[in-house]
Every structure is written in C-alpha cells, then in structure tokens.
Amino acid sequence: MFTVFRLPAPAARPSRAAVTAVAVVTAVAVLAGCGGDGERGDTAKGETAEGGTPTSPNASATPNASASAEPSASSSVGALPDAYDFTPAPERIPRTAAQARALTRDVVLAPADWTPGMVRHDPYETAGTWPVLPDTCVWTRGKLPDGVLDSHNRRIDLPAKDGKGRVLGSVTVTVHRDEAGAERELKDTVQESFRCPVQDLGGGQKLDGLMSMHIDPEDVKNADATLFEAGTYSGPASDGPQGYVWTKSRIGPVTTAVSVKGAKGRTTKDLIRLAAEAGAKLLYRVELELK
C-alpha cells in the first residue's frame, strides 16, 4: 500500500521536496514491478578520488538482458515470488578477501550486461577502497573497513541520443564478513542523507535535496532488504539540475548498489527503471554465486 502525497498547487513549479517525495513513491512502484533495486556511493559518491586496481571487464551476459538501450519494465530478470525466502549456502559465502574478490568480479555488470548500448565511463573501475562522507559533506575515499572483505565499482553511462543527454550510472558489489556488517551499511547509508542533505562529489558535482528511505519488506521480492534515495544532481556537463536516484540492496552478507545521475530529457521514472534493471540483474547474479 502506497502513501499518496498531495502536492500543493504550484505558483510556478513544484518544490524540490515535493518532487523528491513523488520520486520515492514512483520508485516503490517501479522497483516492486521490475524486481530491481540496487549505489551511488561508488560512482556518485567519491567519484573523483580514484583507488584500487582495475580488472578486465566481465564479458558474461546476464540472462534476459534488455534488447533496447532505453529502460523498460519488461527487462526484469525472472518472475517475482510472493515473498523473499532465499538462504545462502554456508559453504558459498566468501570467508577470505580472495574469495570475496572472485564474487564481486563475477557479479558486477559490464556495460552490455546492464543494457545494450551503454558504455564505459572514464575512469571505469574502482576496487579495494571505500567511499567516506566526513562532516564536511565532501565525498572522499579511504581503505576498506575491517568488516568489509571487498568492494568493486564500475561506472557505466547511457550515451546522449535523440536530443537526450548522457546518463551517468554506477554499479557496486560489496562483500562483508557477516550479515550484521552488511545490514549496518544499509542503516548508515540512510543516515547520510539526513546528516548531509547537500553532498559534494568533487569536480564541481553536487547532490542536493536528498531523501532516503527503506522500501517496505513486503514490497521487496528479490533481496533481504532494499533502500532508495532520490534528489537533484548538478555538474559541469549536466545542463542544469537533473534527477538523481540511487538504490542499495542486501542478500546475506553481500550488498549491491546502483546510482543513476540524470540528464536533459530523461525523466525520473526513466532513471528509476534503469536503476531497477541493473539492481535486478546484480541480485540475480548474487543468488547464483551463493546458492
């Protein structure tokens, strides 16, 4: 059951908070319908502080990949169950950093895995580091926390086309030592938007008007937990303020995340569908690795 937000009649345009609230409601419907969720933190956040060792792209295609470069509701992976009841096999859960690296490289998406027509961003990959948001609200990168075995991020863009601007995307896979650590990551992430509703990504990029929320467990059909964030993105090449959406999910000790920065001509619903598509594929791959 969704909450209905009644917007006041605008004198000129809706407030940013009202637009964000509508985006959150839309996200619940789209994420539940597409079976997806999924970071910002590693593309949107800490993007300018590079670290880690790049690896070769994952060339394996994900089942049921979309046939179009535009997001669509039909691009979800598999039928959704009534409730999520997957339990990872204990022997398949990574216990060492090497095992975690193998999982993150197998799970993370390459451009064609997300949607055909998407391309690598430059820089493309960040591995073995962690996004950090200090009290200055300016993102940076540091070493992996003690409870994190590995984290791998790829930046993937949807090129400009038919008068629509270039969308900047990101996918991230992180393996914790235990489920408790992965759950803390989700809880800490929600608090970041309250602590820093305006966040500096570096290089003239900024997020503003951020609003985060956990998706109701009854609406999450392909993960143990999922959260969603929406706001406004601006940067040197953004052509003014644009939509921004970000999702993160957890299966056992593994988190997956997707961030999408909007562009001219791209609606918030377009961005949410792109995030849902990538999130569904990442979670499908996590299950294959842990079953």
Side-chain angles (χ1 to χ4, degrees), residues 2 57 96-97 103 119 133 159 171 178 216-217 223 246 275 279 288:
F2 304 122
T96 67
L103 184 146
V119 298
L133 184 64
V171 292
D178 52 39
D216 190 319
W246 173 92
L288 290 181

Side-chain angles (χ1 to χ4, degrees), residues 52-281:
T53 303
T55 61
S56 60
N58 185 338
S60 62
T62 300
N64 298 332
S66 171
S68 170
E70 298 300 319
S72 65
S74 62
S75 59
S76 59
V77 179
L80 297 177
D82 292 333
Y84 190 70
D85 61 359
F86 174 75
T87 300
E91 68 275 11
R92 298 287 292 171
I93 297 175
R95 304 299 180 186
T96 67
Q99 291 172 347
R101 282 193 294 271
L103 184 146
T104 59
R105 272 56 169 186
D106 286 342
V107 170
V108 72
L109 303 181
D113 298 333
W114 187 336
T115 290
M118 296 190 79
V119 298
R120 295 185 182 193
H121 187 85
D122 184 18
Y124 177 48
E125 294 181 305
T126 302
T129 62
W130 191 252
V132 178
L133 184 64
D135 291 340
T136 59
C137 297
V138 178
W139 282 95
T140 184
R141 279 191 171 273
K143 65 179 183 178
L144 293 176
D146 290 340
V148 177
L149 294 174
D150 190 58
S151 186
H152 193 86
N153 164 260
R154 282 181 176 163
R155 299 167 177 83
I156 301 172
D157 296 351
L158 182 62
K161 181 181 178 181
D162 299 331
K164 299 179 180 180
R166 186 182 185 96
V167 174
L168 308 180
S170 167
V171 292
T172 304
V173 183
T174 300
V175 180
H176 292 258
R177 291 190 183 276
D178 52 39
E179 289 189 13
E183 186 62 24
R184 280 195 301 273
E185 180 190 343
L186 267 67
K187 291 180 178 178
D188 291 345
T189 300
V190 172
Q191 294 304 313
E192 290 170 353
S193 65
F194 293 101
R195 181 166 59 90
C196 291
V198 179
Q199 300 174 7
D200 188 334
L201 309 181
Q205 300 180 89
K206 180 185 293 185
L207 300 178
D208 197 354
L210 295 176
M211 180 178 182
S212 295
M213 63 173 287
H214 284 278
I215 302 298
D216 190 319
E218 292 185 0
D219 292 321
V220 180
K221 308 300 184 182
N222 59 350
D224 292 318
T226 289
L227 58 84
F228 173 81
E229 180 176 277
T232 300
Y233 164 74
S234 60
S238 68
D239 194 19
Q242 305 294 342
Y244 167 79
V245 299
W246 173 92
T247 66
K248 177 178 286 184
S249 297
R250 178 183 69 82
I251 295 179
V254 180
T255 63
T256 63
V258 181
S259 73
V260 184
K261 301 173 186 173
K264 181 181 179 181
R266 310 285 187 176
T267 68
T268 299
K269 192 170 182 178
D270 290 337
L271 307 183
I272 294 171
R273 288 195 182 280
L274 272 173
E277 179 182 63
K281 293 174 180 179

